[in-house]
Amino acid sequence: MSQSFAVGRAAARPAAGEPHASVAALDPRRKLQLALAVLWLLDGILQYQPSMFTRAFPQMLGSTAHGNPALVAAPITWSAGFIGHHLAVANGLFATTQVALGLGIAWRPAVRLALAASVGWAAAVWWLGEGLGGVLAGTASPVGGAPGAVILYAVLAVLLWPADRDGPFVAARAVGRGPALAAWLAVWGSIAVFALLPASRAPQGLSGMISGMASGEPNWLAWLDTRLAVALTHQGLLASAVLAAVFTIVAAGVFLPARLGRAVLVLAVVVAVALWLAQGLGGIFTGAGTDPSSAPLLALLALSYWPRSLA
Amino acid sequence: MSSPAWLSATFAGVMLTVALYCAGRLVVARLRRRPTELDTDAAHITMGVAMAGMLVPGLRVLPAGLWEAVFVAGAAWFGGQTLRARRAAASSAWRCPHPAPHIVECAAMLYMFLALPAAGLRAPMGAMSASAAGSRFSFLPLLLALFLLGYVVRQGDRITAQASAALGASPGRTHHALAPRCAALCKIAMGLTMGYMLILML
């Protein structure tokens, strides 16, 4: 027996005496929320890795201050210093908070609280942990995870909020069609712009970034990234222009009729997978990755815009 | 580089608590004739004790070879149960109705014992990551970990519904399952700890 019920409401009761009844069918939004919860859990567990309990972690946080305006950089430097002085406690708390966010999203009575908390947490980490994704420093690049993986968690938390508006796709049910389309345009449009910044379009820009990702990776991924980096050697401008064009097409895709829109969303997922490989899967195989980078979140974002019908 | 001792000890403590609780479930279920998933509880006892031993060397009670045999047997049992479920055979309240995730758990345990060299098994889990890093199968622990984290969130999602299902059961029925929410919490703790250990092996 399978029964469907809305997220955040009381669960349906199966017939009495059926000990192993299938208790909950999942609607598309709930599936996406659970996927987001998995990513939060993965983040939390990555944060428990041994390297996060060493000085390398606050040093990595502190390094994101470089190139940012003083108003942005000063709190980053202060927080990195504070974390460095209370490393075990601070990192243990960070990891546990992220695990709690994942479990909270998974547990229906806490889903609203956990999503709201994840927006606040993501915003704080985006600033103090990722230096606003390098957006103000001019170092933002799609291959580097721009606009910052963690801010995409906040965007997804808003777009997957369990509100009951009527909409043609999941994201529109939370905030309405217009704001959801604006969010899509902002995310993918900004990535297109970042692809054209000097950090990416320099002759060795993308090639250098990708070859840097290969260090410490397993052989198969290092081989892939090294080959890609070699292919892009001295091709920074051309590769950046192609990337920007693809991201622009994706950004415009949700404004197309549903059938074409679906094709563009498939393209978005394919681009996200390719980007993830170029990002070295966020460095999670190196023992120093704090998250799987932006690509899995971009794929999740694309799925939340999948039209419910072709009408 | 190794995990802080307190972190490994905490995870080991959680695993021993789960193992002890599941042993208690088996006793209470027999005494009060309240159904519980006997196979799942038994698996969680063995996995809990085995993982505690991997996390804290002082808690090791059996050699790795014996544990490997145990988890091969466990995977075979749950594999058989999966085939049985696919043939739509009548389910029992005393066996796990969704055995597939437990096959993956047994496979993950096997992977951890097989992938780590004997030298690694004499060190705490957190210190063993480097020994597995060069493996050609480094993607396998990631896939296993992602599956288990997916299982964890699915269990978390079902807890509320399981509570309602328990409330919906007639008081006079003998099929009133034993503490289904606590059983789900055990699965969550087991999945998270196993996911943590697999991530350490990336």
Side-chain angles (χ1 to χ4, degrees):
Chain A
M1 188 183 70
S2 176
Q3 296 189 30
S4 178
F5 56 95
V7 173
R9 292 183 179 170
R13 288 182 180 184
E18 289 189 29
H20 295 311
S22 174
V23 287
L26 301 177
D27 70 0
R29 179 170 62 195
R30 187 60 181 151
K31 286 177 185 170
L32 293 171
Q33 286 175 346
L34 293 182
L36 184 63
V38 168
L39 289 173
W40 272 119
L41 287 182
L42 180 62
D43 276 18
I45 287 178
L46 287 169
Q47 199 69 48
Y48 280 127
Q49 290 178 109
S51 67
M52 303 299 161
F53 288 93
T54 67
R55 293 278 166 203
F57 177 57
Q59 281 168 7
M60 181 193 71
L61 298 180
S63 69
T64 64
H66 297 309
N68 272 306
L71 200 64
V72 174
I76 296 173
T77 307
W78 176 84
S79 72
F82 180 82
I83 291 165
H85 284 110
H86 306 87
L87 195 49
V89 175
N91 191 55
L93 273 176
F94 293 164
T96 306
T97 300
Q98 292 175 91
V99 169
L101 288 174
L103 292 177
I105 293 170
W107 189 43
R108 291 179 186 233
V111 67
R112 284 183 169 84
L113 179 65
L115 286 173
S118 74
V119 172
W121 178 260
V125 174
W126 189 50
W127 182 354
L128 302 174
E130 292 190 349
L132 304 183
V135 169
L136 300 179
T139 55
S141 165
V143 174
V150 73
I151 199 63
L152 295 175
Y153 284 92
V155 172
L156 276 163
V158 172
L159 296 176
L160 298 178
W161 188 263
D164 284 326
R165 286 186 184 83
D166 195 27
F169 45 84
V170 167
R173 288 177 62 195
V175 294
R177 189 170 184 275
L181 292 179
W184 176 268
L185 194 59
V187 169
W188 288 95
S190 67
I191 296 174
V193 171
F194 297 140
L196 293 171
L197 291 180
S200 296
R201 70 167 194 261
Q204 294 286 65
L206 288 173
S207 174
M209 273 183 231
I210 295 170
S211 65
M213 306 282 182
S215 173
E217 298 286 7
N219 292 341
W220 62 274
L221 189 54
W223 180 88
L224 199 68
D225 282 347
T226 305
R227 292 292 176 284
L228 187 58
V230 168
L232 293 175
T233 305
H234 302 301
Q235 303 292 334
L237 183 59
L238 178 65
S240 294
V242 171
L243 272 181
V246 171
F247 291 136
T248 304
I249 291 168
V250 171
V254 289
F255 298 94
L256 299 172
R259 198 176 297 274
L260 269 174
R262 281 189 177 182
V264 172
L265 290 174
V266 171
L267 173 67
V269 173
V270 171
V271 167
V273 171
L275 205 53
W276 201 30
L277 290 172
Q279 291 170 345
L281 275 56
I284 56 179
F285 285 109
T286 64
T290 55
D291 59 57
S293 199
S294 61
L297 296 151
L298 291 173
L300 205 55
L301 189 70
L303 295 177
S304 69
Y305 284 77
W306 190 259
R308 286 199 288 186
S309 73
L310 291 172
Chain B
M1 195 184 303
S2 63
S3 296
W6 61 265
L7 186 59
S8 299
T10 303
F11 276 112
V14 170
M15 285 302 90
L16 288 180
T17 305
V18 168
L20 202 61
Y21 173 74
C22 288
R25 285 179 68 88
L26 293 179
V27 174
V28 171
R30 182 173 175 80
L31 292 177
R32 296 190 183 176
R33 295 182 182 174
R34 295 267 300 275
T36 183
E37 296 169 11
L38 298 177
D39 45 8
T40 305
D41 287 335
H44 283 175
I45 293 170
T46 52
M47 288 174 190
V49 173
M51 281 197 279
M54 292 173 94
L55 287 158
V56 178
L59 296 174
R60 275 169 204 159
V61 291
L62 292 176
L66 203 52
W67 281 125
E68 287 163 15
V70 167
F71 293 116
V72 166
W77 167 264
F78 286 115
Q81 293 301 307
T82 304
L83 291 176
R84 192 182 149 89
R86 286 202 168 192
R87 286 201 303 265
S91 67
S92 161
W94 295 87
R95 282 197 296 265
C96 178
H98 308 293
H102 300 307
I103 302 175
V104 178
E105 285 180 336
C106 289
M109 293 302 299
L110 258 179
Y111 175 83
M112 286 193 278
F113 276 109
L114 290 172
L116 295 171
L121 281 168
R122 285 193 289 275
M125 184 76 195
M128 294 192 282
S129 52
S131 58
S135 167
R136 290 167 58 195
F137 304 106
S138 50
F139 63 95
L140 195 57
L142 179 64
L143 290 181
L144 289 168
L146 286 175
F147 179 91
L148 290 168
L149 295 183
Y151 182 57
V152 164
V153 299
R154 189 70 176 117
Q155 287 300 320
D157 178 62
R158 282 177 169 175
I159 282 184
T160 319
Q162 281 168 332
S164 297
L167 288 172
S170 304
R173 295 290 295 262
T174 54
H175 277 351
H176 195 153
L178 179 64
R181 278 179 297 183
C182 290
L185 287 174
C186 287
K187 291 173 183 173
I188 288 171
M190 192 64 63
L192 278 177
T193 306
M194 214 177 278
Y196 163 73
M197 293 169 71
L198 288 164
I199 291 292
L200 287 185
M201 296 178 68
L202 289 178

